[in-house]
Amino acid sequence: MTANSGNLLPVYMVADESFSMSDYIDNLNDGLTQLHGALLGEPMAAAKVRFTILGFSDDVQLRLAMADLRSENELPQLVARNRTAYGKVFEDLRARIPADVASLKGQGYTVHRPAVFFLSDGQPTDGDGWHKKRDELVDQNLTSAAPNIIACGIGDVKAQTMLDVATKQEYAFVSTGADLGAEIAKFCAALTKSIVKSGRTIGSLQPELVVERPQNFKMAIDVV
């Protein structure tokens, strides 16, 4: 029997790298750098998290894979590219997450339900087919280790779209400000708090996913 190596929460940061993010991608990279620094200052919480960064546009690019952030010197850079294909994200995650969880379990870890933090500044450009792919991802009968999805929209994203992406109404948020750079910073700050607070609970008697609403964002359900 494999000894229990500990308890882990896989976290996936899924970031829009479409062309419309060109003026704000540096804000997102800066926010992730600050997240990294904050997690280095919370080693007990960071130890309970494995962090993946995916950038999506016409396809999905793996920027960081299942990292223990305590061991990373710096985080990779996201790059603004082309369009906004939501379907590619959910296809990728449906293949990636079960494989990642199986790998961690093979190393002896107890793995909690993964969390996907999804950020987009625009409506999907790949039609409506992405809804089916999203539904297959979160269906526990179809996808082992089906994740929770926290969806945050800025810019031109419609509140209903974020509700359609998120796994719970309370996990869908939209920004209220016109300064997208500032809104991205708020998203990154909330992501940091969510990871730290969730990491602190993993391995306790009451492990839970803690989701912080970004400052000045609204619940999407209140905007529809």
Side-chain angles (χ1 to χ4, degrees):
M1 179 179 292
T2 303
N4 190 326
S5 301
N7 300 274
L8 290 179
L9 171 67
V11 173
Y12 296 79
M13 161 60 183
V14 177
D16 189 338
E17 288 187 325
S18 60
F19 185 76
S20 58
M21 285 286 290
S22 296
D23 291 339
Y24 310 104
I25 204 73
D26 288 343
N27 298 95
L28 186 51
N29 286 322
D30 289 345
L32 290 176
T33 296
Q34 292 175 25
L35 179 152
H36 185 210
L39 266 291
L40 292 177
E42 292 276 356
M44 296 298 289
K48 302 297 184 182
V49 173
R50 291 296 178 269
F51 193 59
T52 295
I53 301 175
L54 299 171
F56 75 95
S57 178
D58 294 312
D59 61 6
V60 176
Q61 295 290 325
L62 177 63
R63 303 304 185 190
L64 184 70
M66 295 300 292
D68 180 341
L69 292 179
R70 300 171 301 168
S71 303
E72 298 296 316
N73 292 325
E74 60 183 7
L75 297 188
Q77 298 288 292
L78 294 160
V79 180
R81 299 183 284 132
N82 297 309
R83 295 182 294 176
T84 314
Y86 279 24
K88 295 293 186 181
V89 173
F90 303 123
E91 283 181 352
D92 182 279
L93 290 171
R94 191 178 176 202
R96 183 181 305 280
I97 290 177
D100 287 346
V101 170
S103 176
L104 292 174
K105 288 183 175 179
Q107 298 170 49
Y109 290 104
T110 297
V111 183
H112 295 267
R113 185 178 181 183
V116 174
F117 288 82
F118 180 96
L119 175 71
S120 181
D121 80 325
Q123 287 292 106
T125 57
D126 53 342
D128 294 327
W130 65 268
H131 288 90
K132 183 175 184 292
K133 295 171 183 178
R134 177 267 182 202
D135 292 346
E136 291 172 345
L137 169 65
V138 301
D139 187 338
Q140 294 178 329
N141 294 317
L142 297 176
T143 305
S144 61
N148 285 300
I149 303 178
I150 299 88
C152 292
I154 61 176
D156 294 330
V157 174
K158 295 179 180 178
Q160 185 61 56
T161 302
M162 293 299 93
L163 284 167
D164 291 344
V165 170
T167 46
K168 296 181 180 180
Q169 288 184 351
E170 58 266 36
Y171 288 172
F173 309 101
V174 289
S175 67
T176 59
D179 184 342
L180 295 194
E183 300 304 279
I184 288 170
K186 293 169 186 173
F187 165 80
C188 290
L191 173 60
T192 302
K193 292 178 182 177
S194 298
I195 292 174
V196 169
K197 291 183 178 180
S198 298
R200 288 172 180 168
T201 76
I202 300 302
S204 71
L205 295 177
Q206 294 183 311
E208 63 174 325
L209 173 63
V210 180
V211 175
E212 288 280 322
R213 181 173 68 178
Q215 183 182 6
N216 296 335
F217 277 54
K218 289 184 177 181
M219 302 283 290
I221 192 63
D222 295 333
V223 180
V224 175

